[in-house]
Amino acid sequence: MDSFFGSGEDLTMLQMGSRAFIMFIIALFLVRLGGIRILGRKSGVDFVIIIMLGAVLARGIVGASPFLSTVFAGFVMIIVNKILAQVSARLPYLGNMVKGKPAVLYKNGKIQ
């Protein structure tokens, strides 16, 4: 297994490619687990999750961090995002703090 995935930062093209393939499948699963909200209406927290998820999972591909540790960190971020979304839906004041309030930029044919 170590020869297929490698360890540390000294990875061959095949090892990095296999890590990238597996991480793609895992990232796809995590995004699906996170729900359509991550890919739908983007708030500040959604952008933070997307950027952090990409950065953390990339470390596992290039060997900068242990593979399973990066997968676990990505899983934790998605779970925290889901919990925060659930709590924000029930507590509007928290939702406004986390997501912000929408601003009308264009109404009735006029820029506001």
Side-chain angles (χ1 to χ4, degrees), residues 31-74:
V31 168
R32 298 296 295 163
L33 179 68
I36 197 70
R37 183 178 176 274
I38 290 177
L39 299 174
R41 294 177 29 210
K42 299 224 181 352
S43 65
V45 72
D46 296 322
F47 281 116
V48 168
I49 290 293
I50 290 169
I51 291 168
M52 285 181 61
L53 187 62
V56 168
L57 295 182
R59 292 184 61 81
I61 293 172
V62 299
S65 297
F67 190 81
L68 291 179
S69 297
T70 59
V71 171
F72 181 73

Side-chain angles (χ1 to χ4, degrees), residues 77-98:
M77 285 191 290
I78 293 297
I79 296 303
V80 167
N81 186 42
K82 283 188 74 81
I83 291 170
L84 197 55
Q86 295 281 329
V87 173
S88 295
R90 290 188 176 93
L91 303 172
Y93 68 91
L94 181 63
N96 289 338
M97 281 178 29
V98 172

Side-chain angles (χ1 to χ4, degrees), residues 12-39:
T12 66
M13 285 192 308
L14 181 61
Q15 290 168 335
M16 195 174 289
S18 61
R19 282 174 171 238
F21 176 75
I22 298 298
M23 196 61 84
F24 174 81
I25 301 299
I26 291 168
L28 187 59
F29 170 76
L30 289 174
V31 168
R32 298 296 295 163
L33 179 68
I36 197 70
R37 183 178 176 274
I38 290 177
L39 299 174

